[in-house]
Amino acid sequence: MKTYYSVLMLSSVLLLSACGSDSDSTTDVGQFSLGVSDAPMVGVSRLGLVMNELVMTDAKGEIHRYSLQHREFNLLDYQGMNRHLAIDNIDLPVGQYHNVHVTIDQGDGNQGCYVEDGQGRHSLQVENGYLPIDDVQIIANRERVMTLEINLFRGLLMEQEQYQLRHRAMWSVDNSQMGHLIGEVDPQWVASCEMDYADLTPVGGEFYHLAYLYPDSVTSIDQMADMGTTPPTGLTAPLSVSRLLQTTDGDWYFAMGYLPEGNYRVGYSCLGHLDDPILDDISAGPFVMYKDADTITIESGPLGGQQTIHECGNGNGGHHEGHGGHGG
């Protein structure tokens, strides 16, 4: 009940701040909602985002600002197909908006955005001080619902004793035009990868099993780059990276949420601990993409958010705890 109440309170504040637009007619306004989600991450226990304002520029060049009251939430609580409803059904004048973004309170070590890991709490600086959102078209008496996806594996970096969050790992999507992906991973892939690269076992003995999502322009494993910011010639960087999870029975799977509908290709490796988000580790380092999990088509379905199940290799028998099962 507390969470629901806080969302209602935030909506009321936003509605009040939106008052004073050029038109008082309900036929000249539509509604806008924005959720925020991320992909599962390792090595980080909490990521506090503090949102300041929603900023939008209309077709006349006028800037609209809506206060988010410096609300804080832990991004790691909203992974895969879950999302934090940061903006709930606010009224906006009808029209096309560009340069849409959410400003955040940069971390300074005491206040603002932060990251907690095994070494304590660190300040978090978001690139240019804002989270980018795609252009938005508001239609009279209709609600536009979008989600901002933040892929922490690709975008979260530690530099000079503080964390940085880069825009290259973010995208936003209209919820009516996106779908979710569940990957069921062949357990033999996992076992074979760990055996083949036993000499690269990380400290602590636990491999980092990752799934990599590529555009459909990638047609083979030889074209799959790692997370480095500058992929080698002929290789393509992943669009998203997600940690493999295990069910209580030990079955391997992964989840990627809020993907724009379209065609993709999936890769797998157990050597995620060797994949630096900046460096090229696939041609100049020890990282190897282990398996090509073939192509996948993400469809939105009639209402958006359709769940697609993809078997990697022989799959795992249809097990993906907490994310539902196969449809009938």
Side-chain angles (χ1 to χ4, degrees), residues 255-323:
M256 293 183 180
Y258 303 97
L259 299 174
E261 53 189 355
N263 298 317
Y264 301 90
R265 197 173 195 96
V266 178
Y268 158 76
S269 179
C270 66
L271 302 176
H273 59 290
L274 301 176
D275 190 359
D276 187 280
I278 297 179
L279 303 178
D280 168 21
D281 295 305
I282 203 162
S283 61
F287 177 79
V288 175
M289 189 64 66
Y290 190 68
K291 287 289 187 180
D292 178 356
D294 213 341
T295 58
I296 179 71
T297 298
I298 297 297
E299 298 179 348
S300 61
L303 299 176
Q306 178 170 296
Q307 181 174 300
T308 298
I309 309 296
H310 181 65
E311 290 187 346
C312 301
N314 292 321
N316 65 12
H319 305 291
H320 34 268
E321 199 166 78
H323 294 279

Side-chain angles (χ1 to χ4, degrees), residues 227-240:
M227 290 187 282
T229 55
T230 307
T233 301
L235 274 66
T236 300
L239 300 170
S240 183

Side-chain angles (χ1 to χ4, degrees), residues 138-153:
I138 299 299
I139 300 174
N141 301 318
R142 292 179 60 180
E143 182 182 10
R144 182 72 179 270
V145 182
M146 299 184 70
T147 297
L148 173 66
E149 176 72 16
I150 302 176
N151 190 254
L152 296 179
F153 267 109

Side-chain angles (χ1 to χ4, degrees), residues 156-174:
L156 187 64
L157 316 171
M158 169 65 91
E159 294 181 346
Q160 298 179 347
E161 302 303 318
Q162 70 176 9
Y163 278 94
Q164 306 281 338
L165 186 57
R166 302 293 175 82
H167 287 172
R168 76 185 188 102
M170 305 178 193
W171 69 84
S172 56
V173 63
D174 188 312

Side-chain angles (χ1 to χ4, degrees), residues 15-255:
L15 286 169
L16 287 172
S17 67
C19 291
S21 60
D22 292 338
S23 174
D24 293 327
S25 171
T26 57
T27 60
D28 292 334
V29 299
Q31 289 71 45
F32 178 69
S33 296
L34 177 69
V36 184
S37 179
D38 80 320
M41 180 70 176
V42 296
V44 172
S45 58
R46 187 178 182 89
L47 191 153
L49 277 182
V50 185
M51 293 185 164
N52 182 12
E53 286 185 318
L54 169 67
V55 182
M56 317 171 75
T57 303
D58 64 24
K60 297 178 181 179
E62 296 180 359
I63 298 176
H64 301 248
R65 298 179 181 273
Y66 302 88
S67 175
L68 302 182
Q69 293 192 305
H70 309 280
R71 294 297 179 101
E72 176 188 327
F73 67 97
N74 177 18
L75 183 59
L76 297 186
D77 287 340
Y78 304 94
Q79 300 183 356
M81 302 176 197
N82 298 318
R83 68 184 188 127
H84 171 67
L85 190 59
I87 299 171
D88 183 18
N89 203 34
I90 65 170
D91 282 346
L92 291 176
V94 168
Q96 185 76 29
Y97 295 86
H98 62 278
N99 194 24
V100 183
H101 58 278
V102 173
T103 63
I104 57 89
D105 293 345
Q106 297 281 43
D108 61 10
N110 296 310
Q111 296 180 325
C113 298
Y114 64 91
V115 172
E116 292 180 359
D117 59 18
Q119 305 301 315
R121 179 165 170 156
H122 310 268
S123 62
L124 171 64
Q125 297 281 309
V126 177
E127 183 176 347
N128 296 329
Y130 67 86
L131 305 172
I133 311 296
D134 282 353
D135 292 353
V136 175
Q137 182 179 12
I138 299 299
I139 300 174
N141 301 318
R142 292 179 60 180
E143 182 182 10
R144 182 72 179 270
V145 182
M146 299 184 70
T147 297
L148 173 66
E149 176 72 16
I150 302 176
N151 190 254
L152 296 179
F153 267 109
R154 296 189 63 234
L156 187 64
L157 316 171
M158 169 65 91
E159 294 181 346
Q160 298 179 347
E161 302 303 318
Q162 70 176 9
Y163 278 94
Q164 306 281 338
L165 186 57
R166 302 293 175 82
H167 287 172
R168 76 185 188 102
M170 305 178 193
W171 69 84
S172 56
V173 63
D174 188 312
N175 279 22
S176 67
Q177 300 173 359
M178 64 81 189
H180 306 300
L181 171 62
I182 295 291
E184 300 172 353
V185 181
D186 191 330
Q188 190 58 52
W189 283 15
V190 173
S192 296
C193 188
E194 291 188 356
M195 182 179 299
D196 291 347
Y197 294 99
D199 58 329
L200 297 177
T201 302
V203 176
E206 184 176 350
F207 283 86
Y208 284 19
H209 299 275
L210 300 180
Y212 294 73
L213 187 74
Y214 296 90
D216 64 349
S217 58
V218 172
T219 58
S220 71
I221 194 170
D222 295 332
Q223 299 172 350
M224 297 179 180
D226 62 3
M227 290 187 282
T229 55
T230 307
T233 301
L235 274 66
T236 300
L239 300 170
S240 183
V241 179
S242 182
R243 179 188 180 189
L244 266 61
L245 305 172
Q246 281 186 285
T247 67
T248 53
D249 293 327
D251 298 298
W252 292 94
Y253 72 98
F254 65 88

